Amino acid sequence: MLGEGILKGLAETAKNFAGSFVSAERMITVQYPEERIAPMEAARVFPFLVYDSKHPEDSLDWEAGMRCVACQICEKECPPKCIYIEKSKDKKPDFVGKMQIYPARFDIDISVCMSCQICVEVCPFEAIKMDTQFELATDDRFGALLLDRKELAKSNEYYHHIHPTEAAEVDARLAAEKAKANAKVKAAADAAVAKAATQPAVPAAKPAEGNKQE
Amino acid sequence: MSPLAGYLLVAALIFAIGLAGALTRRNAILVLIGIELMLNAANLNLIAFWRYGPHPEALTGMMFAIFSIAVAAAEAAVGLGLVISIHRHAKTTDLDEMNRMKG
Amino acid sequence: MASSPYFSLAVLFVAALGFGLAPLGLARLWGRLLSPAKPNAIKNDIYECGLESRGDAWVQFRSAYYLYAIIFLIFDVEAVFLLPFAVAFSGLGAAACGAMLIFVLLLVEGLAWAWAKGVLTWA
Amino acid sequence: MKTVEEIKTAIEAAVPGVGLTIIPNPGPSGQHSLLLAPEHAASVAKFLRDDAEFTLDFLSNVSGVDWPDKEIAEKVKVTRQVTKTVDGEEQSVEETVEEVRKHVQPGFLEVVYHLYSVAKKHGPVTLRMRTINRSDQVELPSLTPIWRSAEFQEREIFDLYGVVFVGHPDLRRLLMWDGFKDHPMRRDYVEPDDYEYEPTPHDSVLLKAKAHQAAVAGRESAQ
Amino acid sequence: MIQTLDQIFVLLKHWLLNFLPAAWQPAVGVVLSVVCIIGVFPALFAFTTVLERKGIGRIQNRLGPNRVGPFGILQPIADGIKSLTKEDIVPLKADAAVHFLAPIVLVVAVFMGFAVLPMGRNMVLVDMDAGLLFYFAMGASTEVSVFMAGWSSRNKYSLLGAMRAVAQMISYEVALLLSSVVVVMMSGSLSLVKIVAAQNQYSWGLPHWYIFTPWGFAGALMFGIAATAETNRSPFDLPEGESELVAGYFTEYSGFKFALFFLGEYVAMFSIAGLGATLFLGGWSAPLAALQFIPSWMWFFGKLMVAMCVFIWMRGTLPRLRQDQLMNFAWKFVLPMCLLNLFVAGLWRFMGDGLLRWVICSAILILAYVGMGWGEMKRKHLGPRTYRYAE
Amino acid sequence: MTPSTIDPERLEGWNRPPIIEPDGEGDLLEVAMGPHHPSTHGVFRMDLALDGERVIRLKPVFGYLHRNHEKIAETVSYLATMPYTDRLDYICSLTNNWAYALAVEKLVGQEVPERAEYLRVILGELTRAQNHASSIGFLLQEMGASGTPLMYAFREREKILDLFESLTGSRMMCNYMRFGGCRVDASPVWLDAVRKVVAGLPAFVDEFERFLSGSEIVMARCQGVGILKPELAINAGVTGPMLRASGVNYDIRKVDHYGIYDRFKFRVPLGDHGDIYDRYMVRILEIRESIGILEQALKGIPGGPVMDPKAKIRNFRPKPGEAYGRIEAPKGELGFYLISDGGPNPYRYRVRPPSLINLTVLEDMCLGSNVADVVLIFGSVDIVLGEVDR
Amino acid sequence: MAVDENLKIELGKQGVFVTTVEELYNWGRRSSIWPMQFGLACCAIEMIATTMARYDLARFGAEVFRPSPRQADMMIISGTVTKKMAPQVVRLYNQMAEPKYVIAMGACAISGGPFKQGYNVLKGIDRYIPVDVHIPGCPPRPEALLQAFMTLQKKIDAQPLTGEGRPRHLDAEAQGEFPVPVEGEHDLEPASNKGVWTVPVVIR
Amino acid sequence: MGIAFYLVSVLTVAGGLAAVLLKNTVHCALAVTTAFAGLALLFLQLDAQFAGFAQILVYIGAVAILVVFAILLTRGSETPKGGVFSKTWLAGLAVAAAIFAVLGWAVLQVAGSLPQQNAAPAVTVNQIGEALMGRYVLPLEIIALLLTAALIGAVIVAMHEKEGD
C-alpha cells in the first residue's frame, strides 16, 4: 500500500505513450478511409454469384455465363432463409455446355444474411461465393439491402481478384470436370455413333458433387 | 441616518425573521434554521458595533463574532443531530406531532 | 470604489454569471427560432436504465453521511482558527505554539475518538 | 464409473420402494439414463449426491423435452376365438391375426438431468423425470434444494415448457416477460402474427404476409 | 526586453487604459482583467479537452481526435456548437428552478477562485490579505451546486451520485485546508502573492520552493491527492462513476447545461492546479535562477499544464477506488498525515538551520507513511499472492 | 474439501443466498441496474435493494437477449445450427463450434482426423487467451480504468482475430468446425503467423501484469471481495475459471481428456480465496498455460486431412438417440445435449450455458457488499449475454 | 405559424447568413456525435472494437460514449432487439435529446436477421423508431461501422436548416414522441407503430 | 450606506424570508444559504474580511451541507400533510413582529446618537492570529473543548447504534 504498484502502472502507460510516437507496435491505428487493413484472402461478407465471362472487359454476359443452375440447395440449406430462387422455364447451356435451367430470379436479402458461408459449402456448381465488400451502409433499407441476381452477379475475374488461391483451385476443378464431361460426352457421342442410338447423357451434377467432399 | 443604524435595522429584521421561523414552522430542522438566522443577526450586530465602535483596532467584536460562528456551528451540529435522533425514534420531524406523541 | 478589492470580485462575479447565463440564453434562443423543443411524457420522464421509473428518488438516506459532515464541520471551524495562527506563526513564541498544539490535539482527540468508535468506517 | 445397471441396483438398495426404469440410448454415445418416479426423486438425488461411492455433487445440465401426443400405428398380434369347421366339426379355435391398431400415446414433458462428480471426476449419470401429461398434470419435484445449479435451469424449463417444479424456491419466468402466457419451446407453440412485410419475397414469407393481411382485414372488419 | 515580455499583459492593459479618462481607468482595468480570466480559462479548457482525448489516446496506442480541423484542434468548437444547439431536457418531476441554477452556481463558484491566483508577476486580480481563505470559501460553495444538481433531478443515480460527491468533497476539503496550512505557517501570509514572493528566492541557482522541504513535499503530496479528489478526477471519480451510477449527479442534464458542468469541472481543475503550483511550486517563479528570463506567466501556465498532464496521465492509468476506501483514505490516512505534517512544520521552525532537521523531519514523515501503509495492508490482508497449480 | 464432508443434516437451505436484514435506518433504495447500464455487458438487469450502499437484495432479470436459439436449432438442420452456435458466446465462437461438433460426433460416433484435432486445440486455446484477456479488460473497465487495460487487451485480441479471419474468413463468427473435422485446412503460412503471435503473447501478459496485478487500487478493490465458497461453487454448478479460483481442481480438459488434451503438458492454476482477485489471476495464469499448450501443439501438428472422409455435409441424418457432449470453454463447461429422432433437424437441442449457470451464485456473492462491488463481481463472473439468454 | 412565416421572410433577406449558420450548425453536429454507451449483442463487441486502438472511432471525435441518453447524440442499435428489450430501447431513444440519430448495426437490428424466426425477436427496430443508417453484416466489420458513421455525417451535411427536407428535430410539426410498445400476453402491442413504420407494398 | 448595502440587505432579508416561508425544506435550506452569503457580504462591507470569508467557509461550505444532509436523512423534503406552519403560527408571528418593533424602535431612537466613524480599520490576519494567541488564548482553548465536545456529542446523538454491538 505504498504506491509502488501505482507508480509501476504509471510507468507502463508512460512507456506506451512514448512508444506510440516511435513504434508501430504501439501505434496500431489504421486510419480507415485513407488507410486500410490489407484484405484477407479468406474473408467473407456476403455471397455473390459467379459468372464466367467470355469478354472480361465488358460485363454484358453476366446472365449467359452465370454458373447457377437454380438447384435450390442453397435456398434450402440457408440457415436464416435469406435466399429466394425462382427457376427459369427455359434452359441455357452451362459451363460444360450442357443445357440447364437457370435462376429467373435469385434474391439475397443481405439485411438477414449471417455470412455463414453454408451456401458456398453446399453448392455443387461453384456458383455462389463470398464477397469481401463490406462498405454497404445505407439509409435505404428496402432498396439497397435486397440484392437481385444482377447485383449479385460478379465475374470470375473478380473472384480471382478477391480470392486468388481458392479461385485457382476452383478453376482447376472445373477444368478437370469439364475435361471429364467432355470425355464422357465424347465417349457417349462415340458410343452413340457406334450404337447409332440416342440416349440422354449422365447428369453433370453427379461428378461435381463427388469432387466437393471437403 | 448613520450606517450603523442601517446595519442594526437589518440585523433586527433578520433576527425577527429567524424568530418568526423558529416559532411558526413545524419542521424541527427549519426551527433550527431560524435559530441560526438569529445567531447570525447577533453576529452582524457584533461586527457592526465593532466597526463603528470606539476601538476597532482592539478586534473585540470581530473576535467575538468568529467565536460565535464556531459556537453556532457546534450548535447546528448537535441540534441537527438531535433532530435526526428524534426522527429515528419518532419517525417524524414535525414538532406538533412530537408534542402530541409526548402528551 | 473601483480600487476596492470587492469591486473586482463583484465584476468577476457578474462576468462569471454572464458566462453561465449567456450560452443558456443563446441555446434557448436557438430552440425558440429553429429547433423547437418537443417535450412529452416519455422523454421528460426520469431516466432509469431504460425502464419506467419506479419509486421516488427523494428517499431517506443513512446517517453515515451526516457523521462525516459533523466531523468536517468541526475541522472546518478548526481551520478558521488555524489559519490566523499559521499567519502569525513565525512571530510567535513557543508558548503560543504550545497553546495551538493543545488546540489541535484536543480536536485530534475527537477525531481519534470517532475513529475508535468506528464512525470513520463507511458502511 | 459404474454402469447404469449397477447404479440402479445401488439406488434400489439404498432407497426402498424406488421406481426406477432404465431408458436405453440406441445411439453410439451409449449414454443410458434412469427414469425416476417423481415421488422418490428427491431422496434418490440426495443419495446420489451424498453417497461416498457416487458423490455426484455437480449437476451439470437440466433440459426439458416436449413429447407431444403421438398417434402410433402398431401391428398387434391378436388371438381370438374363431369358429371354424375342422374336420367337418365346428370348433372354436384360437387364431392369431395381425391387426393394425391406432392409438394415441399421451404426450408428456420430460426433464433430463446430467450429473457429474467433481470429487471423483466421473460422469455423466443421466436422470429423467416425466410428467403425467402436457396440460394439467405437469408438476415435478424440484431438485434445486439438492443442487443449486438447477435453480435457473428449472426456471427456464418452467418458462419455456411449462413444467411446474414443486419445491422450487423462486419459480418465475426466466427469459420471457412476466405477463407472457405461452410456453414457446413446446412443439405446438404458435408464433404471434407480427408479420407485416419483409423484403425477402420468399414463398413462406409471402404466405405469412398474406395470412397476416387477412388477419388484419378480419380485425378491422370486426371493429 | 525581458522585463517587457514578463510584464507584457500588464503593459498592454495600461497602454489600453491610457486611451480612457482617468476616472474610468481603474474600473475598466478591472473589467479588462476579468475578461482575460473569463476568456483564457475556457479557451484553455477547450484546448485541454483535446489534449486529454489525444493524450489518453496515445496512452492507449491510438491517435485520438484528429479529423475535425487540423490535428483535431477544432473538436471542442464542434462540441460547443453541438451542445449549444442540443435540446434541453428538464424532467417533469424535477425541480426546474434548482435544476437550472445548479450549473450556474458551479461555474460562478469556480471562476471566483481565480480572483486571488497570481498568474504572473503583478498579474493578480485582487491581492487580498485573506486570499487563501477566500479561495477555500469559494471552493466550499461548489459542493452546494453539486448537491443542487443531484437533488433537483429527482433521479436515483443523480441523488446517490450527488451525495457521494458531497461526502467526498467535504472529506478532502479538510485535507486540502490542512495541507495548505503548513505553507501559510512558513510564509506568514494568506495572500497568495506573498506566498509566491516568499518562494521566489534562489540559493545556488535553486529556488526556495516549499516542495523541496520534507514538510513541503508531504504537504504537496497530500494536497495533490486532495485536489484530485476535490475535482472528481480518476482515481477518485466516483461521483460520475459510470460503472455504477450511469453519469453521476448530472445524469439528467443535457445540452449546454451539461457542457457547463463539464467546463466547471475542468476550470476547477485549472484553479486547483494553479493553487497547488502557487503554494508548493513557487507560482510563477522560474525553477532555476538561470531561467528567469522566461516570462513569469509562462512559468505559471507551464506548471498548470504540467499538472493537467499528470491528471490526464493518472486518468489514463488508474482504476477508481470504492466509496468506503475513498472515505477511509481521506479520514484515516490523508488527514492524520496532514496533522502530522503541521507538527513537523512546527518542529522544522524550532529546530533551526542544519542538516539535523532535514533528517529528523524526513524520518518522521517517511516512518509515518510507511507505517500507515504497511499497517493498512496487513490489517486488510492485501498484497501480492502466490498461486498453486494442479497437474 | 469435497462436499461429502458436509453434514447432510445441515444441508437443507445451506445453498440458498443468505438473508440480510436492513439495519432499519434509512429507506431501502430500489435501484434497477440495467438493462441499459454501462457495465452490465449488454442487456442484463439486476434489481437491487440497497440499504445505504449495502446490497441486501439482488434479483437478476434475464431474457433481454433471448433470441430463441434452441427453438431455431430445432427447425434447421444440424449443419445450419453451426453458425448459430457462433452467436452464443460471441467472444469465443470457436469453442462453441467445438463443443457442438463434439456433441454431434458423440451422437453419430464420428472420428476426427489428427490434424483437425490439433487445429481445434490451437484455435481453442487462442480463443481462451483472447477471451481471458478481454474479460480482464472489461473487468478493469468496470473498475473505472478509462479503457486502457481494455485497449491493451483488444490490441492483442485484434492480432488473434486476424488469425481467425485469415483461416476461417470471419473475425468473430468463425463457423469453422464441422462434424468430423474442420472446414478448411491451415496453410504453413498461417501456422507461422500463429507462431509469431504466440511468441508475442508472453510479453503482453507480462505488460498486463506489471500494469495491473501489483496496483494497490486493483488489490484493494478485488481482494476479499465477492468470495465464493468451494462447496457452494460445486453445488451451484459453477465451472471454469470461477470454480478454479475457489480452489476446486476441476478442468474438463483434464477430466474428460476430450480431443487430444492428454498429449499436452499443462497445469491448472487454483486460487485459495475465491475472490475477484483470484478470478483475475487465475485467468492471467490460464493465458500463460494456454501459451504453453499452443507452443506444444504448434510443434507437434501433423500433416494429413482435416476432415474425416466419411463425414457427410448434405443429408446429414443421425440415427435416433441422444448425446451430451461438453468441453472446457473459456467461461466454463459448455455442453450440448442433443436428441435425434432420425430426422435432418435435432429433435431437441439444448445448450448448457456456463455463463447462465455461473450467475446462479451472483446473489450469494453480492449480498452484503457495496453497490460498487456488484459490477465488479458481475464482471469477474465473465459472462456473455448471448449465452446467458440464448 | 406566424413566427415561422416571419422567420422565413427574415431569413430570406439574410440568405448568406443562413447558409453560413447552416454550414456551421451541420459541421458542429456532425463533428461531435457522441454515441450512447449501449450494446445489445454480438455487434456490440464489434462496436467496442471500433472504438479500440485498431480502428479508433475517436479520430472522428466520437469516442465520448455517454452512459446517459440525455447527453448522447447517437444510438447504435448494436445487436438483436428482442421483444423483451424493445420497450426499453424505444424509451431510451425517446429520452435522448434532439438532434438524435440511430444507426442500426447488423442484420438483427435491421430485420431480426438470422434470429428473425424466433418468437422473441423483433423484426427490425425501424418498426418503432426511425433509423438513419443501416449497416448489413453479421456482425459488420469495424470498418463498416466507420463507413456507416461517415454516411451519417454525409446525411447530416445534406440537411438544410429550414424549408423542405429539414430534419425532424427542426420541424415543429414533426413527431416528437415515439410510443413505447407494451408487453402483451403473446406479443408486443402494437406490433409496430404507425407513423414510424409504414408497410411498404409487397413487391410481388 | 451605498447602493451595495441596500442590494445586499435586500438579498439577505429575501433569503431569510424565503427560508422561513417556502414549502419545500430543501428550498428553505438553499434560501438560508443565500441569506448566509448575504450576511457574509455585509461582514465584508463592514471591513471584517476574515469574518466574512470564515462565514462563507463555515456556513455555506459546512452548515448548509449539514442542513441538507439532515433534511435528506429525515425525509424532510416531502411536504407534510398538515401544512408547514405550526398551529400556533399566529402567536409566533406576533411575538416576532413585536420584537422587531421594539428593536427597530430602539435603533431608530438612538439612530442620531450612533457613531458615524468611517475610517476603515486595517485588520490583517496576522493581527487576528496574534490576538488569538495572545488575549484570546483562553477562549480559543475553550472553543477547542467545545468543538470536541460538540463533535462527540453530535456523533453520539446522531449515530445509529447497531444492535448487538
Side-chain angles (χ1 to χ4, degrees), chain D residues 25-29 31 46 49-50 55 57-58 60-68 112 114 116-119 121 128 144-149 151-153 156 160-161 169 172 174-176 184-187 189, chain F residues 2-4 8 11-12 15-17 59-60 62-63 66 70-71 74 106-109 232 234-237 239 248-250 255 320-324 326 333 337 339 347-348 350 352 356-357 359-360 364 389-390:
Chain D
N25 179 359
S29 73
Q31 294 171 343
K46 210 170 197 175
R49 185 190 66 184
D50 298 333
T55 327
D57 45 12
F58 170 42
S60 167
N61 180 36
V62 187
S63 17
V65 190
D66 181 21
W67 300 99
V112 187
H114 288 92
Y116 285 86
S117 169
V118 168
K121 298 199 167 39
R128 314 179 94 93
T144 306
I146 317 284
W147 290 290
R148 178 80 185 283
S149 62
E151 185 178 355
F152 288 162
Q153 305 189 62
E156 184 186 324
L160 302 181
Y161 285 93
R172 289 177 293 134
L174 182 84
L175 297 174
M176 303 304 287
M185 276 298 279
R186 290 199 183 182
R187 297 187 83 83
Y189 168 71
Chain F
T2 53
S4 55
L11 281 178
E12 289 321 312
N15 59 2
R16 299 304 306 158
K59 288 285 165 223
F62 301 90
H66 179 44
E70 292 180 2
K71 184 85 177 175
E74 288 172 13
K106 263 201 178 141
L107 186 68
V108 298
L232 180 64
I234 297 170
N235 189 271
T239 44
V248 182
N249 172 20
Y250 194 73
V255 175
E322 61 174 59
Y324 179 67
R326 58 173 197 167
E333 177 191 320
Y337 175 55
I339 301 180
Y347 181 79
R348 172 72 173 118
R350 151 87 185 162
R352 187 248 184 229
L356 173 71
I357 296 168
L359 280 178
T360 312
D364 305 65
D389 291 343
R390 284 154 289 136

Side-chain angles (χ1 to χ4, degrees), chain A residues 8-23:
Chain A
K8 247 193 237 168
L10 285 168
E12 209 56 50
T13 44
K15 220 187 281 169
N16 271 287
F17 178 80
S20 74
F21 289 97
V22 289
S23 127

Side-chain angles (χ1 to χ4, degrees), chain A residues 175-209:
Chain A
E177 250 171 62
K178 194 169 179 179
K180 222 173 153 190
N182 279 347
K184 221 172 229 170
V185 167
K186 215 170 165 194
D190 289 350
V193 166
K195 280 190 176 176
T198 47
Q199 211 178 340
V202 191
K206 283 235 171 98
E209 194 181 5

Side-chain angles (χ1 to χ4, degrees), chain E residues 24-100:
Chain E
W24 291 22
Q25 279 187 13
V28 177
V30 168
V31 172
L32 275 179
S33 311
V34 166
V35 166
C36 282
I37 290 177
I38 297 283
V40 164
F41 285 97
L44 212 56
F45 153 71
F47 174 69
T48 313
T49 52
V50 189
L51 191 75
E52 167 150 22
R53 286 162 76 171
K54 286 179 93 77
I56 287 194
R58 286 278 171 184
I59 284 177
Q60 296 171 343
N61 303 330
R62 59 194 174 87
L63 285 163
N66 68 348
R67 300 181 90 80
V68 184
F71 304 105
I73 209 84
L74 296 182
Q75 187 65 51
I77 297 174
D79 287 343
I81 292 174
K82 196 271 312 268
S83 306
L84 207 56
T85 54
K86 204 145 167 67
E87 186 184 3
D88 179 25
I89 295 179
V90 183
L92 286 174
K93 278 203 218 153
D95 195 316
V98 181
H99 190 264
F100 174 78

Side-chain angles (χ1 to χ4, degrees), chain C residues 30-106:
Chain C
W30 172 270
R32 183 65 60 79
L33 284 181
L34 284 163
S35 176
K38 291 170 208 156
N40 59 60
I42 305 174
K43 184 189 278 182
N44 293 42
D45 195 9
I46 304 281
Y47 164 82
E48 195 170 314
C49 283
L51 299 168
E52 266 176 273
S53 68
R54 298 164 305 164
D56 199 342
W58 291 352
V59 294
Q60 184 188 338
F61 272 80
R62 304 167 58 76
S63 55
Y65 289 100
Y66 186 74
L67 300 181
Y68 283 100
I70 292 172
I71 306 173
F72 163 65
L73 174 72
I74 301 300
F75 274 86
D76 223 24
V77 175
E78 182 207 357
V80 167
F81 289 103
L82 254 178
L83 283 174
F85 155 78
V87 171
F89 176 66
S90 44
L92 293 176
C97 292
M100 203 62 212
L101 193 65
I102 294 169
F103 178 85
V104 173
L105 283 181
L106 270 171

